[in-house]
């Protein structure tokens, strides 16, 4: 890496999360700074739960220019910011903090990141229906992105049904109703057959031996199947989808594009996506 030497002008960015041993964000962002010729560094801040307020105060005091926020702090940082903008307000979840003069503004680029990754792959639902598996933290951004991508309806199946229902209450609208559907029931099978895109937002597939989040027999060649997991690179769900003749995408596109959108907010520059993708993929696949 040939970034300029650290001096008094070096701008500091980073990511705060817990635990945060293994994140591809420094590789992607530092590669971007290098490609853009910026005097900047991107660091990892392991911030224990409960220390969000102190971390944000520290960011103000030390002049840190921007941070990504990841699990478990995406909601906890909100009361300590001066403003929420765009999707961060709708989701009540912040994954990017940007300094604007003396003010700290919260943004959410997970939504735009997932949306752009679908568009890039030609998988945006555009008028078709979508089935989303899971209703946790990541699911909220995915629902919004599917709506942005023109889904005519989003169905949510989750092990714990009331969490799916809570997302429906929050995000359903006339242009794109959001409905809960019980996994394994007849409505689920009908829905799975009808939809254009199936998105896994559950954590199933991250560990060896995990069950599949949907029966593979339900996957058809007409489906686009997206898993927001990228480690392993090809989850058992994506393997099954590929074998069924469906189009597949892992979560790496979302990771790169959420980072690219963060960089755009922080610097106003178009993100050097190829450099970010190369560095991120090398980190994840080489790690
Ligand atoms: P994230 O922020 O990554 O979305 P999360 O908020 O913990 O993580 O959500 C994990 C999702 O995976 C949830 O939808 C969870 O289902 P529950 O709401 O029922 O907990 C789902 N999930 C995790 N383990 C699962 C399992 N063994 N079977 C089915 N769903 C599972």
């Amino acid at each position: 890496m040939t970034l300029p030497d650290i001096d008094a002008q070096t701008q500091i960015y980073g990511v705060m999360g817990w635990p945060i041993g293994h994140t591809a964000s420094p590789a992607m962002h530092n590669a971007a700074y290098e490609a853009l010729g910026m005097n900047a560094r991107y660091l990892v801040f392991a911030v224990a739960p409960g220390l969000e307020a102190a971390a944000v105060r520290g960011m103000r005091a030390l002049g840190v220019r921007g941070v990504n926020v990841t699990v478990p702090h995406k909601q906890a940082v909100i009361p300590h910011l001066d403003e929420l903008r765009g999707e961060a307000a709708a989701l009540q979840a912040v994954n990017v903090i940007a300094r604007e003069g003396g003010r700290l503004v919260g943004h959410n680029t997970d939504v735009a990141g997932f949306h752009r990754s679908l568009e890039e792959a030609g998988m945006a639902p555009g008028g078709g229906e979508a089935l989303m598996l899971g209703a946790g933290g990541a699911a909220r951004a995915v629902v919004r992105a599917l709506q942005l991508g023109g889904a005519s309806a989003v169905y949510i199946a989750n092990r714990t049904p009331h969490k799916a229902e809570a997302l429906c209450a929050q995000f359903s609208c006339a242009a794109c109703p959001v409905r809960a559907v019980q996994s394994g029931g007849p409505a689920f099978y009908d829905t799975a057959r009808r939809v254009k895109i199936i998105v896994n937002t559950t954590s199933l597939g991250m560990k060896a031996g995990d069950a599949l989040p949907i029966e593979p027999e339900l996957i058809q060649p007409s489906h686009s199947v997206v898993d927001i997991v990228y480690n392993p690179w090809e989850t058992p769900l994506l393997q099954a989808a590929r074998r069924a003749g469906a189009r597949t995408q892992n979560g790496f596109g979302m990771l790169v594009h959420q980072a690219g959108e963060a960089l755009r907010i922080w610097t106003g520059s178009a993100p050097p996506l190829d450099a970010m993708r190369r560095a991120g993929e090398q980190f994840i696949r080489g790690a």
Side-chain angles (χ1 to χ4, degrees):
M1 183 150 332
T2 53
L3 283 158
D5 286 345
I6 291 172
D7 60 19
Q9 271 67 52
T10 304
Q11 298 172 1
I12 299 301
Y13 297 88
V15 54
M16 66 161 89
W18 185 274
I20 193 157
H22 203 75
T23 163
S25 292
M28 289 191 295
H29 283 280
N30 286 314
Y33 303 155
E34 188 180 356
L36 293 173
M38 287 171 60
N39 181 0
R41 290 292 193 286
Y42 187 102
L43 307 173
V44 173
F45 302 118
V47 174
L51 293 182
E52 304 82 14
V56 173
R57 269 206 312 280
M59 183 183 168
R60 288 183 196 275
L62 297 174
V64 173
R65 299 293 287 256
V67 294
N68 282 126
V69 182
T70 187
V71 178
H73 302 312
K74 288 186 180 186
Q75 290 172 314
V77 295
I78 291 176
H80 312 296
L81 304 178
D82 299 305
E83 183 186 339
L84 295 187
R85 203 165 293 158
E87 292 294 337
L91 262 69
Q92 287 295 302
V94 163
N95 77 315
V96 175
I97 303 175
R99 168 185 297 280
E100 289 185 12
R103 292 165 54 75
L104 294 183
V105 179
H107 299 259
N108 188 302
T109 64
D110 289 330
V111 177
F114 190 65
H115 174 59
R116 280 180 183 263
S117 76
L118 291 185
E119 297 238 295
E120 185 179 61
M123 290 185 179
E129 296 182 316
L131 172 61
M132 189 177 78
L133 311 169
R140 302 156 66 81
V142 168
V143 175
R144 288 289 293 172
L146 290 168
Q147 290 183 314
L148 261 183
S152 58
V154 178
Y155 296 88
I156 307 177
N158 194 49
R159 175 177 63 180
T160 311
H162 76 84
K163 289 199 207 161
E165 280 146 23
L167 286 192
C168 298
Q170 189 175 358
F171 294 116
S172 198
C173 62
C176 178
V178 183
R179 301 203 176 97
V181 54
Q182 181 73 51
S183 295
F188 179 77
Y189 295 122
D190 274 0
T191 303
R193 272 190 280 272
R194 227 179 34 240
V195 296
K196 191 164 166 188
I197 179 166
I198 299 172
V199 185
N200 176 45
T201 72
T202 75
S203 45
L204 290 174
M206 294 174 81
K207 294 193 309 295
D210 277 350
L212 288 182
I214 186 170
E215 296 89 323
E217 308 79 64
L218 295 175
I219 300 173
Q220 304 162 8
S222 58
H223 284 140
S224 291
V225 178
V226 183
D227 202 327
I228 64 161
V229 172
Y230 50 82
N231 202 358
W233 196 255
E234 190 183 51
T235 59
L237 170 67
L238 292 184
Q239 275 172 26
R242 180 166 52 78
R243 288 195 197 110
R247 304 175 62 196
T248 61
Q249 187 185 177
N250 72 6
F252 185 63
M254 180 182 190
L255 180 76
V256 170
H257 283 287
Q258 65 74 28
E261 293 308 298
L263 189 93
R264 197 191 298 276
I265 289 168
W266 288 332
T267 67
S269 303
L273 289 171
D274 286 343
M276 296 174 81
R277 211 184 311 261
R278 258 196 315 278
E281 184 167 348
Q282 190 176 25
F283 179 86
I284 293 162
R285 303 189 79 169

